[in-house]
Amino acid sequence: MSAPKTLYDKIWDAHVVSEDADGTCLLYIDRHLVHEVTSPQAFEGLRLAGRKVRCPEKTIAVPDHNVPTTEGREKHIENEESRIQVEALDKNARDFGIHYYPVTDIRQGIVHIVGPEQGWTLPGMTVVCGDSHTATHGAFGALAHGIGTSEVEHVLATQTLIQKKSKNMKVEITGQLKPGVTAKDITLAVIGLTGTAGGTGHVIEYCGEAIRALSMEGRMTVCNMAIEGGARAGLIAPDETTFNYVRGRAHAPKGAQFEAALAWWKTLFTDEGAHFDKVVTIRGEDIEPVVTWGTSPEDVLPISAVVPAPEDFTGGKVEAVKRSLDYMGLTPGQKLTDIAIDTVFIGSCTNGRIEDLRAAAKIVEGKKIKPGMRAMVVPGSGLVRHQAEEEGIAQIFIDAGFEWRLAGCSMCLAMNPDQLGEYERCASTSNRNFEGRQGYKGRTHLVSPEMAAAAALTGHLTDVRELI
Amino acid sequence: MKKFEKFTGIAAPMPLVNIDTDMIIPKGFLKTIKRTGLGVHAFDEMRYDRAGNEIADFVLNKPQYRKTEILIAGDNFGCGSSREHAPWALADFGIKVIVSTSFADIFFNNSFKNGMLPIVLPAEQVELLMKDADRGENARMTVDLEAQEITTSDGQVIKFEVDAFKKHCLLNGLDDIGLTLEKAAAIDSFESQSAQSRPWV
């Protein structure tokens, strides 16, 4: 009998093309997702070397980072550099014959939302993209991680990556979440505990009752931020929730082939007794709605807490916290719920799916946002937007005073017109609170969609449990 | 790719922890479709004010560090995005080596693809190099990848570990794609097997 394996071990083993004596492997890549920002140099490299895309049928492209989220964008993108990047992707997709969802296609959206939605992402696959939030796809029990542009070119040319295996890390969330606590709070709470380097060199498998209870949307939110914890990838073993989500999607297998796939997918779990190099366990009941106060995703505290002081930390973090507090314009001891917010952003590959919009809409239904507040909802794909309109969710947001926008990365990273102005402060459902991330000198507080909705109503960071 | 050769250069101290990719190259500069020319924008928001003037107390703006080739950095350097623009910007600035107690995975890999050597050392040794780098251009360190040694300005030798395959590629300036294509037969055979066992892929 072979030694017990983790889920990661199983997927890894199923994709090794060759292995050198020192453990360096050539790993086969099943799906390659491409967007406009990290791919132009890779396609240019192929052209210069006279190479083609080895498996165009396994390669999917969609513009998302640069595209404006306002009407008329299909005719004209004002920013010249953005326009050039999107045009370059148009041309590269056409020239190399890869699947493409341009902005004129209702299926266009954030690459990590489009992939699962269209059934490109399936359990047991290897999925890569020139974007760190590729970790999202791990929610399906797929080994998914971000790569740089040189590696994008490598995958385009060879459909493989040169890799060494990472270590196994288990993050178990036991029990049940309390009302008002979401997948976003789980993933932030984990990073708050382990730090942004806590997962470095590891692939995390999230497990436990609270993870099992999550929908696919929630699982994607959890895995999405595995990278923020430093991990190469996040994984959740596939189960009935996964299979039901995948079944019937455009590019998922059908009929007998689906049954054959299902039989294999059901073997994708961590064997009893398999070895993990690192284990973290959190009780679901102990997680509160959380918010970030600083400029690193590890700067996480329950909403009931106060802004910490640099002296609360040790080592290099002391200076980093001083810098963060200065950048964020916060004072130690200040209650987090006293922090006034002028902007709310609901969207991104972390929280731009239908379930996120439903949850936020439930909070704002029948209410109005605080006067003077700029609040926007940016669905993660054209199909999410369409579904939200069909369900009446869009109207709830519009009636409450939110801007209802077209799909894209939007204010998550400010490469498009959706940006924070200097010293503007945003409750954001995105994934990074780095300096300048949402705009030069902009200040970001990462929260769940429900918490963002609550802040839009009250004008300050708010414990959503007071509104439910 | 250029071969990585033994060199002696100026080291600059950047003790801040969690220096992220957005600090190394802010998003405004990701809109290029080229790999070159980003050096002038490395650490842009820390290095220049809004009007484009240099911020005098930023380390790489100080006269003694303007020709820095080695960065001695705080923990968890390069965390965040997968943007290869970060190593492109650093390499274009002239950085050849970065030393820290830890690096984010993707940044670490991306660095090697661009002829740059990220070196992981224990905290005490990073601290020692940080102090040495603090001495300005008098602190010229020598990095010898072949021997896996850093020599400080006063002759102290610090050994470091590096992945054998990555070392080989750097020393010989090898192109990964070319190396992988030599294994095309193995990829072909994996694909035909996989067409049987996982036809839905």
Side-chain angles (χ1 to χ4, degrees):
Chain A
M1 214 176 112
S2 59
K5 288 180 175 184
T6 63
L7 171 59
Y8 170 51
D9 297 338
K10 289 181 182 178
I11 303 175
W12 175 273
D13 290 349
H15 289 86
V16 174
V17 172
S18 69
E19 181 165 357
D20 293 344
D22 74 341
T24 302
C25 290
L26 204 55
L27 197 70
Y28 194 78
I29 301 303
D30 295 324
R31 292 287 180 264
H32 187 191
L33 311 175
V34 174
H35 65 86
E36 78 279 19
V37 177
T38 57
S39 68
Q41 295 86 350
F43 285 110
E44 192 56 24
L46 290 187
R47 282 200 182 85
L48 289 172
R51 291 171 177 144
K52 51 185 184 117
V53 175
R54 182 180 172 98
C55 300
E57 74 284 4
K58 295 174 182 171
T59 313
I60 299 98
V62 57
D64 56 6
H65 284 59
N66 267 302
V67 296
T69 57
T70 44
E71 301 289 345
R73 63 183 186 174
E74 68 288 354
K75 293 190 201 81
H76 186 68
I77 296 177
E78 190 61 36
N79 182 286
E80 191 185 350
E81 291 169 302
S82 292
R83 192 172 65 242
I84 290 171
Q85 274 194 339
V86 173
E87 285 169 359
L89 188 66
D90 286 345
K91 179 171 162 44
N92 288 329
R94 208 170 40 239
D95 287 0
F96 290 94
I98 62 186
H99 298 279
Y100 187 48
Y101 302 102
V103 286
T104 49
D105 191 315
I106 190 171
R107 296 168 296 178
Q108 179 270 343
I110 305 171
V111 63
H112 306 309
I113 291 188
V114 174
E117 209 167 62
Q118 293 303 315
W120 289 114
T121 307
L122 299 170
M125 281 186 162
T126 46
V127 180
V128 296
C129 173
D131 187 274
S132 57
H133 293 109
T134 310
T136 312
H137 308 263
F140 291 80
L143 178 58
H145 59 86
I147 54 177
T149 299
S150 295
E151 290 180 317
V152 169
E153 185 178 338
H154 192 278
V155 177
L156 289 172
T158 69
Q159 205 59 30
T160 64
L161 267 185
I162 299 171
Q163 290 270 293
K164 262 199 175 161
K165 201 173 169 199
S166 303
K167 291 181 185 157
N168 281 288
M169 176 168 171
K170 174 160 96 168
V171 173
E172 185 177 19
I173 314 293
T174 62
Q176 288 168 7
L177 301 180
K178 289 189 292 193
V181 180
T182 69
K184 183 66 165 287
D185 300 299
I186 293 180
T187 204
L188 282 171
V190 171
I191 300 161
L193 186 70
T194 60
T196 50
T200 301
H202 293 76
V203 165
I204 296 177
E205 180 178 345
Y206 298 95
C207 60
E209 192 186 346
I211 297 290
R212 283 283 139 237
L214 293 175
S215 64
M216 284 316 295
E217 285 85 352
R219 294 178 188 188
M220 285 189 253
T221 300
V222 170
C223 289
N224 172 275
M225 291 191 70
I227 181 69
E228 257 54 67
R232 168 155 295 237
L235 283 173
I236 295 174
D239 59 11
E240 287 305 318
T241 304
T242 323
F243 309 143
N244 289 335
Y245 179 98
V246 166
R247 191 177 281 119
R249 303 248 160 209
H251 295 278
K254 307 276 174 341
Q257 210 164 77
F258 184 86
E259 296 308 318
L262 191 61
W264 185 57
W265 295 343
K266 286 184 173 172
T267 68
L268 299 175
F269 54 84
T270 291
D271 296 331
E272 192 72 33
H275 175 72
F276 284 96
D277 302 278
K278 202 168 178 178
V279 177
V280 172
T281 306
I282 302 179
R283 278 165 33 98
E285 293 80 4
D286 290 346
I287 303 175
E288 283 193 61
V290 293
V291 52
T292 62
W293 51 267
T295 55
S296 166
E298 69 190 16
D299 300 340
V300 174
L301 280 172
I303 182 66
S304 53
V306 298
V307 175
E311 310 84 78
D312 300 340
F313 298 84
T314 54
K317 190 70 183 167
V318 177
E319 279 307 309
V321 170
K322 276 187 202 158
R323 186 183 166 95
S324 283
L325 293 180
D326 180 52
Y327 182 87
M328 294 296 289
L330 297 175
T331 318
Q334 191 177 358
K335 284 171 71 176
L336 292 173
T337 48
D338 283 346
I339 297 173
I341 294 294
D342 48 54
T343 309
V344 166
F345 169 61
I346 298 176
S348 85
C349 58
T350 314
N351 283 127
R353 285 168 285 269
I354 189 69
E355 186 183 274
D356 302 311
L357 305 194
R358 284 182 193 140
K362 221 176 240 173
I363 305 295
V364 302
E365 186 160 17
K367 303 193 177 107
K368 296 273 182 213
I369 61 171
K370 173 109 177 172
M373 173 76 59
R374 176 188 181 201
M376 57 166 84
V377 181
V378 185
S381 73
L383 289 175
V384 169
R385 181 179 149 95
H386 178 71
Q387 190 176 350
E389 286 172 350
E390 294 282 298
E391 292 183 14
I393 290 169
Q395 201 56 47
I396 292 174
F397 284 121
I398 294 165
D399 290 345
F402 281 83
E403 295 171 35
W404 179 247
R405 292 183 162 245
L406 300 176
C409 295
S410 185
M411 202 189 262
C412 175
L413 85 170
M415 282 193 70
N416 50 70
D418 306 343
Q419 306 198 4
L420 288 183
E422 287 185 42
Y423 309 115
E424 283 182 342
R425 190 183 293 279
C426 182
S428 177
T429 67
S430 53
N431 41 56
R432 288 200 177 121
N433 51 351
F434 295 161
E435 290 180 18
R437 173 76 179 183
Q438 294 193 288
Y440 183 73
K441 301 274 185 208
R443 294 161 169 172
T444 303
H445 295 278
L446 302 176
V447 289
S448 70
E450 289 88 328
M451 290 277 282
L457 300 177
T458 63
H460 55 84
L461 291 178
T462 298
D463 189 337
V464 68
R465 292 171 296 190
E466 291 166 9
L467 302 182
I468 53 178
Chain B
M1 206 163 71
K2 248 174 78 178
K3 290 182 183 177
F4 189 100
E5 285 168 349
K6 180 176 168 178
F7 74 100
T8 301
I10 296 167
M14 292 191 84
L16 190 63
V17 299
N18 297 333
I19 292 180
D20 60 63
T21 50
D22 290 59
M23 285 180 181
I24 299 169
I25 187 80
K27 71 267 163 202
F29 305 106
L30 307 187
K31 296 186 180 185
T32 174
I33 54 171
K34 298 190 199 130
R35 281 180 159 98
T36 52
L38 288 170
V40 67
H41 302 301
F43 301 107
D44 198 85
E45 289 178 6
M46 301 164 94
R47 195 166 151 201
Y48 308 106
D49 65 19
R50 201 72 215 241
N53 304 308
E54 286 188 3
I55 296 170
D57 66 355
F58 179 67
V59 62
L60 299 179
N61 287 336
K62 294 180 182 171
Q64 65 271 36
Y65 293 114
R66 299 185 79 89
K67 292 193 172 145
T68 293
E69 291 178 284
I70 303 165
L71 284 182
I72 314 294
D75 309 342
N76 197 26
F77 188 87
C79 57
S81 146
S82 66
R83 59 185 70 162
E84 200 160 317
H85 308 68
W88 290 339
L90 296 177
D92 195 54
F93 179 91
I95 305 294
K96 292 178 180 165
V97 170
I98 308 162
V99 179
S100 178
T101 57
S102 64
F103 292 88
D105 274 345
I106 306 177
F107 177 86
F108 188 77
N109 281 328
N110 282 343
S111 295
F112 284 100
K113 313 279 181 201
N114 292 282
M116 249 186 333
L117 173 64
I119 299 175
V120 178
L121 287 175
E124 332 50 280
Q125 293 184 328
V126 173
E127 188 63 21
L128 186 148
L129 293 174
M130 194 77 76
K131 281 200 182 115
D132 197 27
D134 250 336
R135 291 156 56 184
E137 63 190 320
N138 294 324
R140 296 172 69 84
M141 300 181 192
T142 301
V143 180
D144 184 345
L145 174 57
E146 182 77 60
Q148 298 182 210
E149 286 175 0
I150 303 175
T151 309
T152 64
S153 54
D154 54 9
Q156 221 174 317
V157 174
I158 292 177
K159 301 286 278 183
F160 61 85
E161 294 297 318
V162 60
D163 178 90
F165 174 73
K166 290 189 164 95
K167 174 181 176 179
H168 174 73
C169 289
L170 270 189
L171 285 175
N172 297 290
L174 295 178
D175 159 33
D176 278 354
I177 297 180
L179 287 175
T180 298
L181 287 174
E182 289 173 12
K183 296 178 179 163
I187 304 174
D188 289 341
S189 105
F190 182 94
E191 275 180 347
S192 45
Q193 262 176 28
S194 171
Q196 300 297 319
S197 61
R198 298 186 305 139
W200 59 85
V201 169

